[in-house]
Amino acid sequence: MTRALGAGLRRVVEAADPVSGRVKGTGAQLAGLVERGLAFRHPRAPHDHFLTPAGHRIREGDSDTEAKSGAGAEEGTAGSAAAADGVFAARVGGEEGAAEGGAARLREVRSAWQGLLELRRMSHPDGATDRPCGWERGHLVQAAALALEAAGHRPAGEGAGTGGYRVRETPQPEAVAVYEADGEALRACAATLEAAGWQAGEYTEPRTRARYLLASPRRA
């Protein structure tokens, strides 16, 4: 069951810092935003509160996100990235409607990526945003897919033979496989992941001879 966002909470969201997403309000207001999955409390002192990507979308005027926010939304730092368990999900390729775009989707992806960069900044002692954080290491497929989609790469649609990237799990720890039938597009995916703080190498599957990337989040 969803709960409507009242005028007071809406004002708190709209007054949030547009870059960092830091929000200020009473204890009850901040708790209400966390309960709805629109903000999270940073685990380190001074324990400030920041908008999740869903909160950023509401601040930008996305009424659909507001309608979906409710008491069942995930709380905590991982919820700030929202990629795996929240309202937003990065497109890994091959799912229904994956190839569809539009202005609303672009706003969602941009907000999710900015939220992830902020999570990196707060997670690393040096405040770095050029390398993945712990959340990404726990959600490898979604994290890699978000980096690709945020950079403008097209996810594959349903069915075999459709162009676009596909990000898949691998048996190797902390590694994902990225498939893209077009060789130039595959190399562009590698460049995007490397710029986003991943290590990516190109390989060939022995049985199918398909080229793919093996990508792992960089630690330093």
Side-chain angles (χ1 to χ4, degrees):
M1 180 177 179
T2 61
R3 298 169 59 187
L5 193 64
L9 291 183
R10 175 178 287 279
R11 284 194 294 270
V12 172
V13 170
E14 292 174 347
D17 185 276
V19 177
S20 69
R22 183 182 179 187
V23 288
K24 297 181 180 180
T26 67
Q29 287 174 327
L30 296 174
L33 293 178
V34 170
E35 184 180 10
R36 290 165 173 80
L38 303 178
F40 68 96
R41 182 175 182 266
H42 195 275
R44 295 201 303 265
H47 303 296
D48 289 331
H49 287 69
F50 296 84
L51 294 180
T52 65
H56 275 287
R57 290 195 293 276
I58 287 181
R59 194 189 68 78
E60 295 173 0
D62 188 343
S63 59
D64 288 341
T65 297
E66 180 176 349
K68 294 176 183 177
S69 65
E74 181 185 16
E75 299 181 17
T77 303
S80 68
D85 305 308
V87 174
F88 176 85
R91 289 173 174 167
V92 302
E95 60 266 63
E96 182 179 357
E100 298 175 2
R105 180 64 187 181
L106 290 175
R107 288 196 301 271
E108 286 187 343
V109 173
R110 183 179 68 249
S111 294
W113 179 246
Q114 290 302 316
L116 187 55
L117 291 180
E118 180 61 18
L119 184 56
R120 287 183 177 187
R121 186 187 70 79
M122 294 185 296
S123 299
H124 295 135
D126 60 357
T129 61
D130 62 349
R131 63 182 185 274
C133 61
W135 185 90
E136 290 168 275
R137 298 180 191 282
H139 301 81
L140 293 170
V141 172
Q142 288 287 343
L146 177 56
L148 293 173
E149 191 176 0
H153 295 277
R154 183 170 62 89
E158 285 186 280
T162 60
Y165 69 78
R166 298 174 186 265
V167 184
R168 297 294 182 262
E169 294 180 346
T170 73
Q172 296 184 236
E174 288 208 352
V176 296
V178 179
Y179 297 89
E180 166 61 80
D182 182 81
E184 184 176 348
L186 183 65
R187 288 187 289 274
C189 287
T192 290
L193 290 172
E194 288 169 358
W198 294 65
Q199 296 173 319
E202 191 171 337
Y203 299 88
T204 302
E205 287 190 343
R207 185 176 61 85
T208 65
R209 309 306 298 171
R211 299 291 288 174
Y212 70 98
L213 301 176
L214 192 64
S216 301
R218 182 168 56 83
R219 290 193 175 274

